[in-house]
Amino acid sequence: RPAAGGRGFVVHGRTVDLSRSGAGVTVTCELAEGSEVVLCMHLPGSGTTLDLRAVITRRKGFRVGLEFVQPTAEQRLLLSELC
């Protein structure tokens, strides 16, 4: 479905692997390697959403590998608490 503001589209997925530098995600449609995305994660127990810019570095069917792009200091701190 189209994303808010009319730029891009929303793809739902499930994070299956998470590190401080990236994530493995199973998605509901095929996405091209090299595409820029925003990973929106709902953090358990906090009601907070973490939005991370990323690039798809590898793809195999509906499984993609993401590398986070310039996370903020706050995002890096949250990731270090999660990983």
Side-chain angles (χ1 to χ4, degrees):
R1 75 173 199 231
R7 296 185 60 195
F9 56 95
V10 174
V11 174
H12 293 275
R14 180 175 300 259
T15 304
V16 293
D17 185 27
L18 181 65
S19 74
R20 293 177 180 153
S21 61
V25 181
T26 301
V27 294
T28 56
C29 70
E30 290 192 29
L31 300 171
E33 208 170 299
S35 296
E36 294 183 21
V37 298
V38 177
L39 176 65
C40 303
M41 292 188 301
H42 299 283
L43 303 181
S46 70
T48 303
T49 301
L50 180 58
D51 298 335
L52 292 156
R53 290 179 46 230
V55 172
I56 297 174
T57 56
R58 63 190 177 285
R59 176 184 74 82
K60 186 172 183 179
F62 295 102
R63 175 86 186 256
V64 296
L66 303 178
E67 181 180 334
F68 300 138
V69 177
Q70 298 179 333
T72 65
E74 181 181 356
Q75 290 170 330
R76 288 192 304 272
L77 178 61
L78 285 169
L79 285 168
S80 69
E81 292 173 357
L82 291 170
C83 300

